[in-house]
Amino acid sequence: MINWKDSYDIGVEKIDCQHRQLLVKLNEFFEACTNQQGKEKIEETLKFLKEYTLEHFSDEEHLMQDIDFPELAEHRKTHAEFVKTVLDLEESIKSKGVSVLSTIKLNRTLTDWLLNHINKCDKLIGQCIASKGNQAV
Ligand SMILES: [Fe+2]
């Protein structure tokens, strides 16, 4: 279980709320896997995680457009890579199920990616907005 830290905040309320929520969804998914809650429950939590991820990335990309964020294309690419990881995961769970070991590994990969992405890439969005005197939001 990974907890949110205030230092992860990028200073944009809507996005910060979504990031918190995303971490909740990730934790729910991994809990379902590690507690071996059954394929149905695991698939259901992964579905929520996927849908929430798509919604969040779309909102974030719209925000970047609105503020003329200079690295939008790069940023979009990293989102697409994460979505692909989640879709591949969905496929693999459908066909092969989940093992505890692969879950632990995956937990690290997805969570590390998310927190890294927030700290390195999403923080730039907050800085960009702050540099424009918060006029864009
Ligand atoms: Fe992002």
Side-chain angles (χ1 to χ4, degrees):
M1 172 98 182
I2 315 276
N3 290 309
W4 184 263
K5 292 192 190 115
D6 287 345
S7 64
Y8 302 150
D9 280 341
I10 69 160
V12 181
E13 206 187 329
K14 183 181 178 187
I15 300 295
D16 287 331
C17 284
Q18 289 183 344
H19 283 156
R20 281 194 176 86
Q21 212 30 48
L22 204 51
L23 197 61
V24 169
K25 302 271 176 219
L26 260 179
N27 281 326
E28 277 169 8
F29 169 65
F30 290 119
E31 245 165 67
C33 292
T34 39
N35 299 337
Q36 300 272 338
Q37 281 179 0
K39 207 167 173 232
E40 219 166 86
K41 175 81 183 164
I42 291 170
E43 283 181 353
E44 188 188 299
T45 52
L46 183 59
K47 187 169 167 270
F48 282 133
L49 173 64
K50 181 183 76 178
E51 280 165 7
Y52 199 80
T53 301
L54 290 172
E55 190 187 317
H56 164 63
F57 284 170
S58 160
D59 283 351
E60 213 180 79
E61 286 166 15
H62 277 119
L63 172 65
M64 286 190 277
Q65 261 170 346
D66 288 348
I67 61 167
D68 289 321
F69 187 70
E71 284 129 71
L72 172 60
E74 258 316 294
H75 200 129
R76 202 176 246 152
K77 228 192 251 172
T78 62
H79 283 172
E81 280 162 19
F82 187 78
V83 169
K84 190 176 180 305
T85 308
V86 174
L87 292 178
D88 287 349
L89 174 64
E90 191 177 47
E91 258 324 289
S92 126
I93 288 179
K94 265 186 194 148
S95 57
K96 290 180 252 159
V98 254
S99 79
V100 174
L101 192 68
S102 66
T103 304
I104 294 168
K105 254 201 214 157
L106 196 70
N107 189 355
R108 277 210 69 88
T109 312
L110 292 182
T111 317
D112 282 357
W113 183 92
L114 178 69
L115 297 179
N116 221 343
H117 176 78
I118 290 172
N119 278 317
K120 281 196 181 148
C121 305
D122 294 341
K123 286 237 164 112
L124 297 175
I125 302 173
Q127 285 166 16
C128 182
I129 291 172
S131 75
K132 291 175 191 233
N134 287 317
Q135 285 160 358
V137 276

